[in-house]
Amino acid sequence: MKIGVFVCLCGSNIAATVDTERVAEIARSYPDVVFSKAEMYACSEPGQEAIREAIVEKGLEGVVVASCSPRMHETTFRRAVERAGVNRYMFEMANIREHVSWVSLDREVNTRKAAELVRAAVEKLRLNRHLTPSKFEINKRVMVIGGGVAGIQAALDMADGGLKVVMVEREPSVGGKMAKLDKTFPTVDCSACILGPKMVDLAQHPNITLHAFSEIEDVAGYVGNFAVTVRRKTPYVDWERCTGCGLCMEKCPSRKSPDVFNEGLKPTTSINIPFPQAIPKKATINPDTCIMLTKGKCGSCAKICPTGAVDFEKQDELVTEEVGAIIAATGYDVFDHAKYEEYGGGRIPDVITSMQYERMLNASGPTSGHVKRPSDGKEPKKVVFVQCVGSRDPSKGRPYCSGFCCMYTAKQAILTKDHIPDAEVYTFYIDVRAPSKMYEEFYNRARDEYGVRYLRGRPSRIYQDGDKVVVRSVDTLLQAQVEVEADLVVLAVGGEHSRGASELAEKLRISADQNGFFMESHPKLRPVETNTAGVFLAGACQGLKDIPTAVAQGTAAAAKALVLLSRDMLEADPQVARVNQSRCIGCAKCVGVCPFQAIRMGKDRWGNPKAEVVETMCQGCGVCNVACMDKAIQLDHFTDDQILAEVNALCREWT
Amino acid sequence: MSGMDVKELRIIGFLCNWCSYGGADSAGVARYKQPTDMRIIRLPCTGRMDPLFVLKALLGGADGVLVSGCHPFDCHYTSGNFYARRRLQVLKSYLPVLGIHEDRFEYTWVSASEAAKWQSVVTAFTDRIHELGPAPRLLELEDMPLRFKEGMDIWPS
Ligand SMILES: Cc1cc2nc3c(=O)[nH]c(=O)nc-3n(C[C@H](O)[C@H](O)[C@H](O)COP(=O)(O)OP(=O)(O)OC[C@H]3O[C@@H](n4cnc5c(N)ncnc54)[C@H](O)[C@@H]3O)c2cc1C
């Protein structure tokens, strides 16, 4: 084999701490290397052109590029090699940037290490085989998990683009957090007025199927051909028949169910439609509080229902949806302020969360849009907002900035002044972060036009004193202790990963970051893709973000799914397991360990049992490879011989 | 970082493509300084990790071997890291039987976002191998002291 080696300087990224010329020179002494060269930017157009030229001129049959991580540019270089007529799998990369030049400043040591890594790549390449991808058909349906604004946007974009979309939402209605909001910053337009029409479009779109009140049970398959089992939880109401008239709610005698939609500010009936604009507008029974389901008597709702939809016997249903791609848009949860003992830990009635306040401001909320103290229903004249509750606080395990609280606090402060013009409004803050379009201006309006008083400091204690709530803090600008006696305190709670996110990640075979948010494939260049082909991310499940960004990501994820499914056939990665029939003794150990059911037992022409790999199902993990005692099944591109060739190369004494 | 001011030893790291290799990349991108002894081999999954590779490396001249993959329940292939854990735990207990110090081998979980953790894992493991010192080498016949070679002549070849 004739091998060419290209050592990238990456400007000064590699060249500053690795003698790339020297590495190229040493590489010339390696077996089968007929050509070697240092290159300023191997991935650039001239860099790729140099590789192409060398392949043609020197008749290279394999190429090693020593540069950055293969996770960054393997595909780039494989394509370059292929353009010059060499099989794209006759290519190896040595990672001399992330693993060498960027972790040490010792030029001598780095140069040697780089040369060794190049040798390992060369030795592996010598054993590479030409691989050709096979093609398989793909299913042009997409599943969106989570019906917040990000998921809704993604679903609508894809449906308009001609794809069939299945949406799975855990709650009885779509809309997510945005459906609960009163107004939205920085335009202060009514949240329901901009989200409502989208929710209706979703419900009426001929290309969209909605499974509300449903959860993901299991995800099988792979890009292009996922089979997702969805559990449709029972609402104890036949939704086919329910017309959403609401008569049942009027008749229900049990009025002690926690009202999740209204953030528990007021109880609700056991059978209920979460809010007037709910999509789907269907009733759901809370089995924990329903008298019929807990005590076996009542049934008022069943008697009044004009369509006979109430069905106390109804069970969960499992349905399997076959889709080609999946978008996760499961959003976030708000931080539980009870974790702040020093702020009353949820015990002081007039200390509420921002989300509760949002419901209170809302005309269709529990107080019909009147700002009232929960303790006595009086209108507060002094309202204090406390920012960063559950944000930027490593002691509570929330080291990150939640990103939207500064802005929604400014919004809520402005709205407070709109509702109660003579109110005094204070905001305790650490920094005000307002980096998007019109955000800084909006914050300035809150301060200058509406006279909201911003005090810099994180309050140390909040306590009840008579009918007042005292917020004690240090004002870090005045360097003085301050105490504000408030009628109402609103805690600007931050966000955290949504409950159940890690179980879902496991089912989707995607990763979560250290804070529990789903991890994108690349933080800058692949923000809505995951490392699992065919699974995309949208909205706050990937990291906290406001509505404009969540919507942008919804559209981006939709575009990625459209790109993927615009093809009729997908190429299967040919780096799959292969069986050497003459070695296979038919023990079926590999069949048992394969996580993808990609191996089955067949027979050779004499009728002996032999393992067979279903190429399109094999994901290339190599578990079978290790289970096989006879080394009859080998993962292409990562065969035992190839890995051992690398081991041997790295074990050589340095000369 | 103590690993740096002494002569390098030979440490081979087998890292899964999805988590730990990504973690090592992130550590590089964030310019976390590390000892330089580690040479990384990329695997699709730690489920691909044949105990044979560890033995071949340790018998072939490596002074230490580190395997690192995804945290439990975070495997790109669902369960590869569990297979790895079972096999490697067994391997670890057998190393002394083969005359290899078991501390020369370790397996860990590092995710792609844990750059700082990767730095500390590499540093701690490298320090440990430096404490153990170079692994004993088996001599080639021509390197052997004369008396052994003579001793061997007793048996006609
Ligand atoms: C008090 C407050 C005020 C705010 N005000 C504003 C504002 O004025 N302007 C602004 O731009 N932003 C505001 N935000 C931020 C805004 O709420 C988010 O940007 C937005 O809701 C993110 O949308 P999403 O679709 O990503 O997530 P979400 O709205 O959280 O939607 C996620 C959806 O997924 C569902 N789900 C979760 N897990 C699963 C599962 N396992 N299976 C199925 N379904 C699941 C949930 O039920 C939910 O319907 C505010 C936030 C708060 C807390």
Coordinates of all heavy atoms in Angstrom, one line a residue, chain A residues 145-152 168-171 173-178 181 183-186 214-216 329-334 354-356 358 404 407-408 411-412 439 493-494 498-501 504 538-541 545-548 550, ligand 1:
Chain A
I145 N -41.3 15.0 20.3 CA -41.7 14.7 21.7 C -41.7 16.0 22.5 O -40.6 16.7 22.6 CB -40.6 13.7 22.3 CG1 -40.5 12.5 21.4 CG2 -41.1 13.3 23.7 CD1 -39.4 11.5 21.9
G146 N -42.8 16.4 23.0 CA -42.9 17.6 23.8 C -43.6 18.7 22.9 O -43.2 19.0 21.8
G147 N -44.7 19.2 23.4 CA -45.5 20.2 22.6 C -45.5 21.6 23.2 O -46.5 22.3 23.3
G148 N -44.3 22.0 23.6 CA -44.1 23.4 24.0 C -44.0 24.2 22.7 O -44.2 23.7 21.6
V149 N -43.6 25.5 22.8 CA -43.6 26.3 21.6 C -42.5 25.8 20.6 O -42.7 25.9 19.4 CB -43.4 27.8 22.0 CG1 -42.0 28.1 22.6 CG2 -43.6 28.7 20.8
A150 N -41.4 25.3 21.2 CA -40.4 24.8 20.3 C -40.9 23.6 19.5 O -40.7 23.5 18.2 CB -39.1 24.4 21.1
G151 N -41.5 22.6 20.2 CA -42.0 21.4 19.5 C -43.1 21.8 18.5 O -43.2 21.2 17.4
I152 N -44.0 22.7 18.9 CA -45.1 23.1 18.0 C -44.5 23.7 16.7 O -44.9 23.4 15.6 CB -46.0 24.1 18.7 CG1 -46.8 23.5 19.8 CG2 -47.0 24.8 17.7 CD1 -47.6 24.4 20.7
V168 N -46.0 13.9 20.5 CA -46.3 13.2 21.8 C -46.1 14.2 22.9 O -45.1 14.8 23.1 CB -45.4 12.0 22.0 CG1 -45.7 11.4 23.4 CG2 -45.6 11.0 20.9
E169 N -47.2 14.5 23.6 CA -47.1 15.5 24.7 C -47.6 14.8 26.0 O -48.6 14.1 26.0 CB -48.0 16.7 24.4 CG -48.3 17.6 25.6 CD -47.1 18.2 26.2 OE1 -46.3 18.8 25.6 OE2 -47.0 18.1 27.5
R170 N -46.8 15.0 27.0 CA -47.1 14.3 28.3 C -48.4 14.9 29.0 O -49.1 14.1 29.6 CB -45.8 14.5 29.2 CG -45.9 14.3 30.6 CD -44.5 14.1 31.1 NE -43.9 15.3 31.4 CZ -42.6 15.4 31.9 NH1 -41.9 14.3 31.9 NH2 -42.1 16.6 32.1
E171 N -48.6 16.2 28.9 CA -49.7 16.8 29.6 C -51.0 16.7 28.7 O -50.9 16.4 27.6 CB -49.4 18.3 29.9 CG -48.2 18.6 30.7 CD -48.3 18.0 32.1 OE1 -49.4 17.9 32.6 OE2 -47.2 17.6 32.7
S173 N -52.7 19.0 27.5 CA -52.7 19.9 26.4 C -51.3 20.3 26.0 O -50.4 20.3 26.8 CB -53.5 21.2 26.8 OG -53.3 22.2 25.9
V174 N -51.2 20.7 24.7 CA -49.9 21.2 24.3 C -49.8 22.7 24.7 O -50.8 23.3 25.3 CB -49.7 21.1 22.7 CG1 -49.7 19.7 22.3 CG2 -50.8 21.9 22.0
G175 N -48.7 23.3 24.4 CA -48.5 24.7 24.8 C -47.3 25.0 25.7 O -46.7 26.0 25.7
G176 N -47.0 24.0 26.5 CA -45.9 24.1 27.4 C -46.0 25.3 28.3 O -47.1 25.8 28.7
K177 N -44.8 25.9 28.7 CA -44.8 27.0 29.6 C -45.4 28.3 29.0 O -46.0 29.1 29.6 CB -43.4 27.4 30.1 CG -42.6 26.2 30.6 CD -43.0 25.7 31.9 CE -42.2 24.5 32.3 NZ -42.2 23.5 31.3
M178 N -45.2 28.4 27.7 CA -45.7 29.6 27.1 C -47.2 29.8 27.2 O -47.7 30.9 27.3 CB -45.2 29.7 25.6 CG -45.5 31.0 24.9 SD -44.9 31.1 23.3 CE -45.7 32.6 22.7
L181 N -48.0 31.8 30.2 CA -47.5 33.2 30.4 C -48.6 34.2 30.0 O -49.5 33.9 29.2 CB -46.3 33.4 29.5 CG -45.1 32.5 29.7 CD1 -44.0 32.9 28.7 CD2 -44.7 32.4 31.1
K183 N -48.0 37.9 29.3 CA -47.4 38.7 28.2 C -46.0 38.2 28.0 O -45.4 37.6 28.9 CB -47.4 40.2 28.6 CG -48.7 40.8 29.0 CD -49.5 41.1 27.8 CE -50.9 41.6 28.0 NZ -51.6 41.4 29.2
T184 N -45.4 38.5 26.8 CA -44.0 38.1 26.6 C -43.1 39.3 26.3 O -43.5 40.3 25.6 CB -43.9 37.2 25.4 OG1 -44.5 37.8 24.3 CG2 -44.7 35.9 25.6
F185 N -41.9 39.2 27.0 CA -40.9 40.3 26.7 C -40.4 40.1 25.3 O -40.4 39.0 24.8 CB -39.8 40.3 27.8 CG -39.0 39.0 27.8 CD1 -38.1 38.7 26.8 CD2 -39.2 38.1 28.8 CE1 -37.3 37.5 26.9 CE2 -38.5 36.9 28.9 CZ -37.6 36.6 27.9
P186 N -39.7 41.0 24.7 CA -39.7 42.4 25.1 C -40.8 43.3 24.4 O -40.7 44.5 24.5 CB -38.3 42.9 24.5 CG -38.1 42.1 23.3 CD -38.9 40.8 23.5
S214 N -49.6 11.6 26.8 CA -49.0 10.3 26.4 C -47.5 10.4 26.7 O -46.9 11.5 26.7 CB -49.1 10.1 24.9 OG -50.5 10.0 24.5
E215 N -46.9 9.3 26.9 CA -45.4 9.3 27.1 C -44.7 8.2 26.3 O -45.4 7.3 25.8 CB -45.2 9.1 28.6 CG -45.4 10.4 29.4 CD -45.0 10.4 30.8 OE1 -43.8 10.1 31.1 OE2 -45.9 10.7 31.6
I216 N -43.4 8.4 26.2 CA -42.6 7.5 25.4 C -42.3 6.3 26.3 O -41.7 6.4 27.3 CB -41.3 8.1 24.9 CG1 -41.6 9.4 24.1 CG2 -40.5 7.1 24.1 CD1 -42.4 9.2 22.9
A329 N -38.2 17.8 22.2 CA -38.5 19.3 22.5 C -39.2 19.3 23.9 O -40.3 19.9 24.0 CB -39.4 19.9 21.5
T330 N -38.6 18.7 24.9 CA -39.3 18.4 26.1 C -39.1 19.6 27.2 O -39.6 19.4 28.3 CB -38.8 17.1 26.8 OG1 -37.4 17.1 26.8 CG2 -39.3 15.9 26.0
G331 N -38.4 20.6 26.8 CA -38.4 21.8 27.6 C -37.7 21.7 28.9 O -36.8 20.9 29.1
Y332 N -38.2 22.4 29.9 CA -37.6 22.5 31.2 C -38.6 22.5 32.3 O -39.8 22.6 32.1 CB -36.8 23.8 31.3 CG -37.7 25.1 31.2 CD1 -37.9 25.8 32.4 CD2 -38.3 25.5 30.1 CE1 -38.7 26.9 32.4 CE2 -39.1 26.6 30.1 CZ -39.3 27.3 31.2 OH -40.2 28.4 31.2
D333 N -38.2 22.5 33.5 CA -39.0 22.6 34.7 C -38.5 23.9 35.5 O -37.4 24.2 35.4 CB -38.9 21.4 35.7 CG -39.8 20.3 35.2 OD1 -40.5 20.4 34.2 OD2 -39.7 19.2 35.8
V334 N -39.4 24.5 36.2 CA -39.0 25.6 37.0 C -38.4 25.1 38.4 O -38.8 24.1 38.9 CB -40.0 26.7 37.3 CG1 -40.3 27.5 36.0 CG2 -41.3 26.1 37.9
S354 N -42.4 33.2 40.2 CA -42.6 34.0 39.1 C -43.7 33.4 38.2 O -44.5 34.1 37.5 CB -41.3 34.2 38.3 OG -40.7 33.0 38.1
M355 N -43.7 32.1 38.1 CA -44.7 31.4 37.3 C -46.1 31.6 37.9 O -47.0 31.8 37.2 CB -44.3 29.9 37.1 CG -44.9 29.2 35.9 SD -44.8 30.2 34.4 CE -43.9 29.1 33.3
Q356 N -46.1 31.5 39.2 CA -47.4 31.8 39.9 C -47.9 33.2 39.6 O -49.1 33.4 39.3 CB -47.3 31.5 41.4 CG -47.2 30.0 41.7 CD -46.9 29.8 43.2 OE1 -46.2 30.6 43.9 NE2 -47.5 28.8 43.8
E358 N -47.1 35.0 37.1 CA -47.5 35.0 35.7 C -49.0 34.6 35.5 O -49.8 35.3 34.8 CB -46.6 34.1 34.9 CG -46.5 34.3 33.4 CD -45.6 35.5 33.0 OE1 -44.5 35.7 33.6 OE2 -46.1 36.3 32.2
F404 N -33.4 33.6 31.1 CA -34.6 34.4 30.8 C -35.2 35.2 32.0 O -36.1 36.0 31.9 CB -35.7 33.5 30.2 CG -36.0 32.2 30.8 CD1 -36.3 32.0 32.1 CD2 -35.9 31.0 29.9 CE1 -36.5 30.7 32.6 CE2 -36.2 29.8 30.5 CZ -36.5 29.6 31.8
M407 N -35.1 39.1 32.2 CA -36.1 39.7 31.3 C -37.5 39.6 31.7 O -38.3 40.5 31.7 CB -35.9 39.2 29.9 CG -34.5 39.6 29.2 SD -34.1 41.3 29.5 CE -35.4 42.1 28.5
Y408 N -37.8 38.3 32.2 CA -39.2 38.2 32.6 C -39.5 39.0 33.9 O -40.6 39.4 34.1 CB -39.7 36.8 32.6 CG -39.3 35.9 33.8 CD1 -39.6 36.2 35.1 CD2 -38.7 34.6 33.5 CE1 -39.2 35.3 36.1 CE2 -38.3 33.8 34.6 CZ -38.6 34.1 35.9 OH -38.3 33.3 36.9
K411 N -40.3 42.4 32.8 CA -41.6 42.3 32.2 C -42.7 42.4 33.4 O -43.6 43.2 33.3 CB -41.8 41.1 31.4 CG -43.2 40.8 31.0 CD -43.3 39.4 30.3 CE -43.3 38.3 31.3 NZ -43.5 37.0 30.7
Q412 N -42.5 41.5 34.4 CA -43.4 41.4 35.4 C -43.5 42.7 36.3 O -44.5 43.1 36.8 CB -43.1 40.2 36.3 CG -43.3 38.9 35.6 CD -43.1 37.7 36.4 OE1 -42.5 37.7 37.5 NE2 -43.7 36.5 36.0
Y439 N -33.6 44.0 24.2 CA -33.7 43.5 25.6 C -33.2 44.6 26.5 O -33.8 45.0 27.5 CB -32.9 42.2 25.8 CG -33.7 41.0 25.3 CD1 -34.7 41.1 24.4 CD2 -33.3 39.7 25.8 CE1 -35.3 40.0 23.9 CE2 -33.9 38.6 25.3 CZ -35.0 38.7 24.4 OH -35.6 37.6 23.9
V493 N -37.7 32.3 39.8 CA -37.1 31.0 39.8 C -36.5 30.7 38.5 O -37.0 31.0 37.4 CB -38.1 29.9 40.2 CG1 -38.3 29.9 41.7 CG2 -39.4 30.1 39.5
G494 N -35.3 30.1 38.5 CA -34.6 29.7 37.3 C -35.2 28.4 36.8 O -36.2 27.8 37.3
S498 N -36.1 19.1 32.6 CA -37.4 18.7 32.9 C -37.3 17.3 33.5 O -36.5 16.5 33.2 CB -38.3 18.7 31.6 OG -38.0 17.6 30.8
R499 N -38.3 17.0 34.4 CA -38.3 15.7 35.1 C -38.4 14.6 34.1 O -39.1 14.8 33.1 CB -39.4 15.7 36.2 CG -40.7 15.2 35.8 CD -41.8 15.6 36.7 NE -42.8 16.4 36.0 CZ -43.8 15.8 35.4 NH1 -44.0 14.5 35.4 NH2 -44.7 16.5 34.7
G500 N -37.7 13.5 34.3 CA -37.8 12.4 33.4 C -36.9 12.6 32.2 O -36.8 11.7 31.3
A501 N -36.1 13.7 32.2 CA -35.2 13.9 31.0 C -34.2 12.8 30.8 O -33.9 12.4 29.7 CB -34.6 15.3 31.1
L504 N -35.6 9.6 29.4 CA -35.9 9.8 28.0 C -34.6 9.8 27.1 O -34.5 9.1 26.1 CB -36.6 11.1 27.7 CG -37.1 11.4 26.3 CD1 -38.1 10.3 25.8 CD2 -37.6 12.7 26.1
A538 N -34.8 20.6 20.1 CA -35.3 21.9 19.9 C -35.8 22.5 21.3 O -36.3 21.7 22.1 CB -36.5 21.9 19.0
G539 N -35.4 23.7 21.5 CA -35.9 24.4 22.7 C -35.2 24.2 23.9 O -34.0 23.8 23.9
A540 N -35.8 24.4 25.1 CA -35.1 24.5 26.4 C -34.6 23.1 26.8 O -33.8 23.1 27.8 CB -36.1 25.1 27.4
C541 N -35.0 22.0 26.2 CA -34.4 20.7 26.6 C -32.9 20.7 26.4 O -32.2 19.9 26.9 CB -35.1 19.6 26.0 SG -35.0 19.5 24.2
K545 N -33.5 28.6 27.3 CA -33.6 29.7 26.3 C -34.9 30.3 26.3 O -35.9 29.7 26.8 CB -33.2 29.2 24.9 CG -33.9 27.9 24.5 CD -33.5 27.5 23.2 CE -32.0 27.0 23.1 NZ -31.8 25.7 23.9
D546 N -35.0 31.5 25.8 CA -36.3 32.2 25.8 C -37.1 31.8 24.5 O -36.6 31.0 23.7 CB -36.1 33.8 25.8 CG -35.1 34.2 24.7 OD1 -34.9 33.5 23.8 OD2 -34.6 35.3 24.9
I547 N -38.3 32.4 24.4 CA -39.2 31.9 23.3 C -38.6 32.2 21.9 O -38.6 31.2 21.1 CB -40.5 32.6 23.4 CG1 -41.2 32.1 24.7 CG2 -41.4 32.3 22.3 CD1 -42.4 33.0 25.2
P548 N -38.0 33.4 21.6 CA -37.5 33.5 20.2 C -36.4 32.5 19.9 O -36.4 32.0 18.8 CB -36.9 34.9 20.3 CG -37.5 35.6 21.4 CD -38.0 34.6 22.4
A550 N -36.1 29.5 21.3 CA -36.7 28.2 21.3 C -37.4 28.0 19.9 O -37.3 26.9 19.3 CB -37.7 28.0 22.4
Ligands
LIG1 C1 -42.0 32.9 34.8 C2 -41.5 32.8 33.4 C3 -41.8 33.7 32.5 C4 -41.3 33.7 31.2 N1 -41.6 34.7 30.3 C5 -41.0 34.7 29.1 C6 -41.3 35.8 28.2 O1 -42.0 36.7 28.5 N2 -40.7 35.7 27.0 C7 -39.9 34.7 26.6 O2 -39.3 34.7 25.5 N3 -39.7 33.6 27.4 C8 -40.2 33.6 28.7 N4 -40.0 32.5 29.5 C9 -39.3 31.4 29.0 C10 -40.2 30.4 28.2 O3 -41.0 29.8 29.1 C11 -39.4 29.4 27.4 O4 -38.5 30.0 26.6 C12 -40.2 28.5 26.6 O5 -41.3 28.0 27.3 C13 -39.4 27.3 26.0 O6 -40.2 26.5 25.3 P1 -40.0 24.9 25.1 O7 -41.0 24.5 24.1 O8 -38.6 24.6 24.8 O9 -40.3 24.2 26.5 P2 -41.6 24.1 27.4 O10 -42.4 25.3 27.3 O11 -41.1 23.6 28.7 O12 -42.4 22.9 26.7 C14 -42.0 21.5 26.8 C15 -43.2 20.6 26.6 O13 -42.7 19.3 26.6 C16 -43.6 18.5 27.4 N5 -42.8 17.4 27.9 C17 -41.8 17.4 28.8 N6 -41.2 16.2 29.0 C18 -41.9 15.3 28.2 C19 -41.9 13.9 27.9 N7 -41.0 13.2 28.6 N8 -42.7 13.4 27.1 C20 -43.6 14.2 26.4 N9 -43.7 15.5 26.6 C21 -42.9 16.1 27.5 C22 -44.0 19.5 28.5 O14 -45.2 19.0 29.1 C23 -44.2 20.7 27.7 O15 -45.5 20.8 27.1 C24 -40.5 32.6 30.8 C25 -40.2 31.6 31.7 C26 -40.7 31.7 33.0 C27 -40.4 30.6 34.0

